[in-house]
Amino acid sequence: MTGAEKRRTARISQILDAAALCFVEMGFHRAGMAKIAARAKMSPGHIYHYFESKEAIIAAIVDRESAKAAERFAELDAVDSNELASVMTERAIQSIEEKTDILQSALNMEMLAECQRNPEIACIIQRHDKYIRDQLTHLIGNKIGLDLAEARTDMMMVQFSGLANRLLRNPDMDLSSMIALMRQTMQSILTPDTIGDHV
Amino acid sequence: MTGAEKRRTARISQILDAAALCFVEMGFHRAGMAKIAARAKMSPGHIYHYFESKEAIIAAIVDRESAKAAERFAELDAVDSNELASVMTERAIQSIEEKTDILQSALNMEMLAECQRNPEIACIIQRHDKYIRDQLTHLIGNKIGLDLAEARTDMMMVQFSGLANRLLRNPDMDLSSMIALMRQTMQSILTPDTIGDHV
């Protein structure tokens, strides 16, 4: 990466972080480009140089998440099929322990609420979700070789979304004492024929 | 209930339903009392006769949920301890099948997003959450007699919140094919010592 590219990347990152804070603190509707610029300590013109609208900023925030996820999926795709279920469970637990934070959770809620009134944002969120789902379904169905791969994928994602949601409703939640239960739940979602009795 | 009480209850219900729609469609900030009144086909003065603010309306929406939950918890409290885990699982599955809808999910996201900027709403949401948690923890810890009752409670609630969240992210989600996995997950959360290996 050249110096100019690095500066550009840093600048964009600075805008996305400032925008995320503004969306959470003011709500998407009130967080105008001028407020995002002030928060990022840039001129509004400078922001418009990179992003034409708040929706474009949301798209970039979501794309940044997709890029991080793509790296993790590439790593998982290289894991031996026999070990994949346990590696996926441990990675999931690790990411819950490290990365479950209030700001990210609140931003997700704000974006999901906005989905109902802004079709452009709904489209961005649902496209990202489909990307994550396709990757997980590939790992679960093709590599681990489980049936009901789409449903198992959605159930894995229920755990992540649900936890983010819980964190906002119960700020005293003891994440560490939930980890063992979460591991067990994820293991059972990634285990064959355990649901045979109930189908 | 007298005729006057019935009319009052119906009127309040009409306001709460209209407000819920306005909050989802416009966002909490833009959904003013005048807009809620128009949606409920009442005069603003009439709305203020029942509710002094939007926050009071949110509190009443949440109280209505608490009252419904209280009925369900009273029924569960009367179930034989030995059967409680399976009855709770079946009731949970039933309520997922019957009541998981986009409007309620979107309203929850809107309220959770608003929590970050409105301490009064945060307080209402967190008090409701604590009420539900206390009831579930009582059933899981005292009646079924499981350890880690608080963590199991939060994990049960992760399933509900997570599903509501998924519905907004993946409108094509096939709920019926997830039901068997969801049942299995809830059973394992309500089963003793299955997590012994991992603690």
Side-chain angles (χ1 to χ4, degrees):
Chain A
M1 216 184 258
T2 65
E5 280 166 351
K6 272 188 199 159
R7 275 193 302 279
R8 181 186 158 83
T9 305
R11 219 32 88 75
I12 286 177
S13 187
Q14 191 179 345
I15 296 170
L16 301 187
D17 293 340
L21 280 172
C22 288
F23 294 149
V24 168
E25 288 171 6
M26 303 172 202
F28 186 76
H29 179 66
R30 275 182 289 178
M33 291 292 256
K35 282 178 180 145
I36 295 170
R39 186 82 190 213
K41 299 193 169 68
M42 294 181 191
S43 69
H46 208 151
I47 302 269
Y48 278 107
H49 174 69
Y50 293 105
F51 299 104
E52 65 177 6
S53 64
K54 290 191 286 184
E55 283 78 6
I57 294 181
I58 289 274
I61 289 175
V62 169
D63 283 346
R64 187 165 63 167
E65 288 304 307
S66 295
K68 283 185 208 159
E71 283 177 29
R72 292 195 295 269
F73 284 126
E75 283 171 26
L76 289 171
D77 213 14
V79 171
D80 186 88
S81 296
N82 294 321
E83 290 171 15
L84 188 52
S86 62
V87 172
M88 278 174 71
T89 301
E90 287 316 310
R91 293 281 174 85
I93 294 293
Q94 201 184 345
S95 90
I96 286 170
E97 283 175 321
E98 287 170 5
K99 297 193 319 177
T100 304
D101 72 279
I102 292 273
L103 175 69
Q104 187 60 45
S105 300
L107 180 62
N108 284 334
M109 298 309 140
E110 182 60 31
M111 291 195 295
L112 284 176
E114 196 60 27
C115 270
Q116 298 307 303
R117 12 183 207 270
N118 188 326
E120 198 175 339
I121 291 183
C123 182
I124 292 166
I125 300 288
Q126 289 167 11
R127 193 180 55 213
H128 172 72
D129 197 78
K130 176 143 179 24
Y131 169 72
I132 302 287
R133 245 166 32 234
D134 287 348
Q135 300 295 314
L136 271 177
T137 303
H138 161 68
L139 293 173
I140 293 172
N142 301 341
K143 294 220 41 176
I144 307 182
L146 292 173
D147 60 353
L148 298 171
E150 284 87 1
R152 290 180 201 269
T153 291
D154 269 308
M155 273 299 286
M156 286 296 278
M157 295 173 83
V158 160
Q159 309 308 314
F160 284 101
S161 313
L163 211 51
N165 195 305
R166 292 298 311 144
L167 208 61
L168 299 173
R169 290 180 182 273
N170 178 13
D172 302 326
M173 187 172 77
D174 178 6
L175 201 56
S176 65
S177 75
M178 287 174 70
I179 290 292
L181 286 161
M182 189 51 98
R183 179 178 283 119
Q184 167 188 310
T185 297
M186 291 190 173
Q187 280 168 339
S188 92
I189 294 169
L190 296 178
T191 301
D193 67 50
T194 41
I195 61 166
D197 300 341
H198 310 292
V199 174
Chain B
M1 217 185 256
T2 65
E5 280 166 353
K6 271 188 202 160
R7 276 193 301 279
R8 181 186 158 81
T9 305
R11 218 35 87 76
I12 286 178
S13 186
Q14 192 179 344
I15 296 169
L16 300 187
D17 293 341
L21 281 172
C22 287
F23 294 148
V24 168
E25 287 171 6
M26 302 171 203
F28 186 76
H29 179 67
R30 273 181 290 178
M33 290 293 256
K35 282 177 180 144
I36 295 170
R39 187 82 191 213
K41 299 193 169 68
M42 295 182 191
S43 69
H46 208 152
I47 302 268
Y48 278 108
H49 173 69
Y50 294 106
F51 298 104
E52 65 176 6
S53 65
K54 288 191 287 185
E55 283 78 5
I57 294 180
I58 289 275
I61 288 174
V62 169
D63 283 347
R64 187 165 64 168
E65 287 305 306
S66 295
K68 282 184 208 158
E71 284 177 27
R72 293 194 294 268
F73 284 127
E75 283 171 26
L76 289 171
D77 212 14
V79 171
D80 186 87
S81 297
N82 294 321
E83 290 171 15
L84 187 54
S86 62
V87 171
M88 279 174 70
T89 301
E90 288 316 310
R91 293 281 173 87
I93 294 294
Q94 202 185 344
S95 90
I96 286 170
E97 284 176 320
E98 287 170 5
K99 297 194 318 177
T100 304
D101 72 279
I102 292 273
L103 174 69
Q104 186 62 44
S105 300
L107 179 62
N108 284 334
M109 297 310 139
E110 181 61 31
M111 291 196 292
L112 284 175
E114 195 60 28
C115 270
Q116 297 309 304
R117 11 183 209 270
N118 188 326
E120 198 176 338
I121 290 181
C123 182
I124 292 166
I125 301 287
Q126 290 168 11
R127 192 181 56 212
H128 172 72
D129 197 77
K130 176 142 179 25
Y131 168 73
I132 302 286
R133 247 169 27 237
D134 287 348
Q135 300 294 314
L136 271 177
T137 304
H138 161 69
L139 293 173
I140 293 172
N142 301 341
K143 295 219 44 176
I144 307 182
L146 293 172
D147 60 352
L148 298 171
E150 283 86 2
R152 290 180 201 270
T153 292
D154 268 309
M155 274 298 286
M156 285 294 279
M157 294 172 84
V158 160
Q159 309 308 313
F160 284 100
S161 313
L163 211 51
N165 195 305
R166 292 297 311 142
L167 207 61
L168 298 173
R169 289 179 183 274
N170 178 12
D172 302 326
M173 187 172 77
D174 178 6
L175 201 56
S176 65
S177 76
M178 288 175 70
I179 289 293
L181 286 161
M182 189 50 98
R183 178 178 283 120
Q184 167 189 308
T185 297
M186 291 191 172
Q187 280 168 340
S188 92
I189 294 168
L190 296 179
T191 302
D193 67 49
T194 40
I195 62 166
D197 301 340
H198 310 293
V199 174

